[in-house]
Amino acid sequence: MSRFASKAVVYHGFLRLGELDVVPANGHGFRFPDNEIRIHHISPVSERCPPLAILHTVSSSSVRCKLESSSPVEQANLNSLHASCLHELKTAVVLLGEEEMHLVAMCSRQKKSLCFWCFSVPSGLYESSLGLLNLRCLAIVFDLDETLIVANTLKSFEDRIEALRGRIVRETDSVRMSGMSAELKRYVDDRVLLKQYADSNCVVDNGKLYKAQVEEVPQLSDSHEKVVRPVIRLQEKNIILTRINPKIRDTSVLVRLRPAWDHLKSYLTAKGRKRFEVYVCTMAERDYALEMWRLLDPEARLIDREQVSNRVVCVKSGSRKSLLDVFQDGNCHSKMAMVIDDHSKVWEDRDQPRVHVVPPFAPYHAPKAETANAIPVLCVARNVICNVRGSFFKEFDKNLLHKTFELFYEDEVVALPPAPDVSNYLMSEDSGFVPNGAPNALLANGASGAEFDKRLNFPGEKHAVDVSNIPVRETSDGKSGTSQPTITIVPYTIGPHASRTLMPSQKAGLFGNPARQDFSFSNHEHDLKGRILTMKHGLDNKNHGSSEAALLSRPPMQLTTANMQPHGGCLEEDSNEGHINSGSFGFSQEADSLNLEKEGSSKSARSKTLKF
């Protein structure tokens, strides 16, 4: 026994199994309470991933200590535990407060029969990660407003209409006036639909009468009151009308769903087999957020109804979004998670490398921006998601799985390669390189330059990664291979005179108030929708700004790659193909878009007052 080791008695429940020496690892000593190793339970059997690979991926610390036997006496019970854990890919679990200590059975070069490595992880994290990794599954977190949907109430429509009319009166440029007038008409038309629905639970669209269908909202728990909502779905327009509180007319909402959402959903579920566990993190009020997600996932294919209460996370005013809050029950590690949001700065700094930023959804300001695009924004996101998943498991299989089988008890954990991390495969436009070593995947550097620095106070925002339509074949075992086509990246531009570059933080939201660029939040500034759509109250009567899509003003750039398919649009994926291919996928210019040159950079994403 090492002179630095201490002895500990091992129990499984009340059964004494024997004694093991606790050997310091990585220069740090560790002692079990009262020198007793009390095994609480045995982890589930792993189907394909050795426990060492799982724990190396999700543990925040290295090996805490090592266990070995120096007893001259045969310890049959310990021998049985070691053999069972080694051959069945299980661990023995010791509970230590809020953490679990996992005893990983190891082979020994010195023919020691009993030896373990010990890792500590938050309670429940190992078991959930085991399930995800065995199923080749990661986690994905969605924002709602201006990422997947745009919603309006009668009050917000009135505020936007009034603001646009004021701008039109003061406008002297005929082109810009025409663009604003077209946007105004779209708001007016949708307000007419919403008012019909609010007044009579029916609407007339293109001469056809649509009556509301009663939809019962599944109860989240026995303590929740049963809710039945009148809902109208205009499928051809991607519009849904609903009422957050069926008893309050003013909580009627017209919701526009972002194009290609169904295509993205089809990839996530993969014909009944989940590729991603889905979560929602939003700054909206909870009843509103739960209803919006129900409209997006009516069949509960992405989030089971029993889990939706925990998986839809609403961030309180004055705080940033955090993956620690999303995964507070220990159901995933942030290394295995990515985020789809139209703004990364609302996330904690440590989480921002995991955010794929999409341009804000702007169906009123730029209605053709997505449908006229070679690939809609959510299909681009689907390509990014596919690349991330394929790259993660390619590295996990190639480097980690094989290496763990070659490691012995006497080795140091530093002999293992770094654990795969989702942030390694999401490319930041200001990095200039691809972290996972794909040299040909150049970046669309759309947010830089003197004009950008002049208008914005903070640099480094990461936009949607345009190289994501490089096709990647993802096989059933999670491995992927990249081809190298020639890609023309067309920047996200709106309008014939769109010269202003906007960050996602500058989007004009429907409800709530702005998140300041220095993140000195007031109670009114960071709560995006918390003050309007509630089950108990009426609407927020504050003014709201109009939606704008993020603009990338650089000219197209060429990526040298191969095997690019010429067609565009969203394609349903077969068993081997996860990508939608096209030669270009920028926002097309629109004649009716607004010229934003004279907009001040102080305008924020969710302005309480409009600035002209």
Side-chain angles (χ1 to χ4, degrees):
M1 180 179 75
S2 169
R3 63 190 181 91
F4 299 107
S6 61
K7 285 192 175 292
V9 182
V10 184
Y11 296 88
H12 189 179
F14 295 103
L15 176 64
R16 187 181 189 277
L17 302 183
E19 287 185 351
L20 290 174
D21 300 332
V22 182
V23 182
N26 302 310
H28 301 287
F30 178 84
R31 284 184 177 272
F32 287 89
D34 302 322
N35 288 325
E36 294 179 346
I37 302 173
R38 292 197 168 270
I39 298 172
H40 181 267
H41 64 276
I42 305 299
S43 73
V45 175
S46 177
E47 295 178 1
R48 65 161 73 181
C49 301
L52 183 57
I54 299 170
L55 288 162
H56 183 58
T57 300
V58 303
S59 178
S60 58
S61 60
S62 184
V63 176
R64 299 293 300 276
C65 64
K66 297 182 179 183
L67 305 176
E68 62 182 45
S69 174
S70 61
S71 174
V73 180
E74 179 75 14
Q75 302 187 84
N77 288 332
L78 276 177
N79 283 331
S80 177
L81 173 69
H82 182 273
S84 174
C85 289
L86 184 64
H87 297 297
E88 298 179 21
L89 302 182
K90 300 185 296 187
T91 67
V93 185
V94 178
L95 300 184
L96 299 174
E98 298 295 322
E99 290 193 329
E100 298 173 346
M101 182 74 81
H102 286 260
L103 280 56
V104 180
M106 300 291 293
C107 294
S108 171
R109 287 193 181 93
Q110 301 175 6
K111 308 303 181 184
K112 295 179 180 179
S113 59
L114 293 176
C115 49
F116 298 86
W117 279 9
C118 300
F119 290 83
S120 62
V121 293
S123 294
L125 179 60
Y126 174 82
E127 189 168 339
S128 61
S129 300
L130 178 151
L132 290 173
L133 292 172
N134 277 327
L135 293 172
R136 328 299 281 170
C137 191
L138 297 176
I140 189 165
V141 184
F142 287 104
D143 175 46
L144 289 177
D145 297 296
E146 298 187 43
T147 298
L148 300 180
I149 62 165
V150 164
N152 275 284
T153 63
L154 286 170
K155 181 67 175 82
S156 67
F157 273 134
E158 291 165 3
D159 290 342
R160 295 177 190 279
I161 291 169
E162 181 181 356
L164 270 174
R165 282 174 175 162
R167 294 178 66 183
I168 291 172
V169 168
R170 294 188 293 274
E171 184 56 64
T172 57
D173 185 279
S174 60
V175 174
R176 284 182 287 201
M177 185 181 300
S178 175
M180 285 187 284
S181 298
E183 182 178 358
L184 176 64
K185 182 179 185 303
R186 290 188 282 270
Y187 278 123
V188 170
D189 290 346
D190 274 9
R191 185 191 176 281
V192 170
L193 284 178
L194 183 58
K195 190 171 189 315
Q196 291 178 24
Y197 165 79
D199 292 341
S200 60
N201 283 348
C202 63
V203 300
V204 177
D205 184 49
N206 291 330
K208 185 176 180 180
L209 177 65
Y210 296 86
K211 294 183 178 179
Q213 303 296 314
V214 174
E215 295 185 5
E216 181 176 340
V217 180
Q219 291 179 262
L220 299 179
S221 68
D222 294 338
S223 61
H224 282 77
E225 181 181 353
K226 181 179 178 181
V227 177
V228 177
R229 291 192 175 102
V231 177
I232 297 177
R233 299 174 183 268
L234 304 179
Q235 303 286 358
E236 293 183 359
K237 291 188 173 182
N238 265 4
I239 289 177
I240 303 178
L241 298 114
T242 186
R243 191 167 297 133
I244 305 303
N245 185 341
K247 299 177 182 178
I248 300 178
R249 169 184 176 273
D250 286 343
T251 62
S252 299
V253 185
L254 186 147
V255 185
R256 283 188 171 269
L257 307 185
R258 192 161 203 163
W261 167 242
D262 286 341
H263 293 278
L264 178 54
K265 281 202 302 183
S266 70
Y267 172 74
L268 296 173
T269 53
K271 301 177 182 178
R273 180 180 64 86
K274 286 187 178 180
R275 287 188 169 104
F276 285 83
E277 289 292 344
V278 177
Y279 298 79
V280 174
C281 187
T282 176
M283 296 177 183
E285 188 272 339
R286 186 161 181 78
D287 291 324
Y288 165 88
L290 289 170
E291 174 63 0
M292 293 305 103
W293 183 253
R294 187 185 74 86
L295 300 179
L296 287 164
D297 186 27
E299 305 90 1
R301 292 178 181 173
L302 299 182
I303 303 179
D304 295 337
R305 289 191 173 92
E306 296 76 17
Q307 298 176 313
V308 70
S309 180
N310 294 327
R311 297 238 180 149
V312 176
V313 178
C314 296
V315 176
K316 294 181 179 179
S317 173
S319 61
R320 280 176 166 181
K321 296 179 181 180
S322 169
L323 288 176
L324 289 178
D325 292 335
V326 176
F327 305 134
Q328 59 185 335
D329 294 333
N331 39 21
C332 187
H333 194 282
S334 58
K335 288 181 184 178
M336 299 169 58
M338 68 175 294
V339 178
I340 303 294
D341 203 325
D342 63 303
H343 181 29
S344 70
K345 292 294 182 179
V346 297
W347 287 88
E348 293 285 356
D349 291 345
R350 63 177 175 269
D351 295 327
Q352 290 180 23
R354 310 180 197 286
V355 181
H356 171 66
V357 180
V358 297
F361 180 34
Y364 297 99
H365 174 64
K368 299 178 182 178
E370 310 218 9
T371 57
N373 210 20
I375 298 184
V377 168
L378 292 186
C379 287
V380 175
R382 169 176 161 166
N383 284 355
V384 172
I385 292 167
C386 183
N387 272 337
V388 167
R389 179 176 175 268
S391 299
F392 183 98
F393 284 107
K394 180 179 181 180
E395 183 172 341
F396 183 83
D397 290 347
K398 182 179 179 180
N399 296 335
L400 202 54
L401 281 189
H402 295 297
K403 191 66 176 178
T404 53
F405 286 112
E406 301 171 359
L407 214 62
F408 288 90
Y409 169 77
E410 291 79 13
D411 296 327
E412 296 295 334
V413 73
V414 291
L416 284 171
D421 188 325
V422 160
S423 64
N424 293 339
Y425 319 115
L426 277 170
M427 295 168 288
S428 174
E429 66 173 7
D430 55 2
S431 66
F433 69 97
V434 181
N436 67 348
N440 291 326
L442 303 180
L443 302 177
N445 223 352
S448 61
E451 180 67 15
F452 172 85
D453 295 333
K454 176 181 177 182
R455 292 183 179 276
L456 302 178
N457 294 330
F458 55 90
E461 179 71 78
K462 181 173 63 179
H463 291 273
V465 181
D466 291 349
V467 296
S468 58
N469 77 333
I470 298 174
V472 170
R473 289 196 172 272
E474 183 172 347
T475 59
S476 58
D477 65 355
K479 296 183 180 181
S480 63
T482 58
S483 57
Q484 300 182 358
T486 299
I487 303 171
T488 301
I489 294 183
V490 181
Y492 290 117
T493 56
I494 298 177
H497 305 288
S499 61
R500 176 186 173 200
T501 302
L502 294 182
M503 299 289 285
S505 62
Q506 292 178 293
K507 68 177 181 179
L510 162 62
F511 310 117
N513 299 300
R516 294 177 183 171
Q517 294 176 356
D518 62 357
F519 280 92
S520 301
F521 295 102
S522 69
N523 289 334
H524 297 291
E525 286 180 322
H526 196 63
D527 187 1
L528 302 185
K529 292 184 173 55
R531 297 184 296 110
I532 34 164
L533 293 177
T534 69
M535 298 294 288
K536 298 179 180 179
H537 305 290
L539 299 176
D540 185 0
N541 292 324
K542 303 293 182 183
N543 290 333
H544 310 289
S546 61
S547 287
E548 297 174 351
L551 309 181
L552 299 182
S553 58
R554 284 183 177 264
M557 60 181 293
Q558 296 288 333
L559 299 186
T560 304
T561 54
N563 297 332
M564 173 55 66
Q565 299 183 23
H567 56 269
C570 283
L571 303 179
E572 287 301 321
E573 176 192 40
D574 61 26
S575 59
N576 294 320
E577 184 66 40
H579 272 244
I580 301 137
N581 304 319
S582 174
S584 64
F585 48 88
F587 277 158
S588 62
Q589 294 184 343
E590 295 187 61
D592 61 350
S593 298
L594 301 181
N595 187 334
L596 302 176
E597 291 178 348
K598 295 182 180 180
E599 294 280 351
S601 62
S602 60
K603 181 175 181 180
S604 177
R606 300 167 180 90
S607 313
K608 189 191 319 187
T609 53
L610 295 168
K611 299 178 181 179
F612 308 108

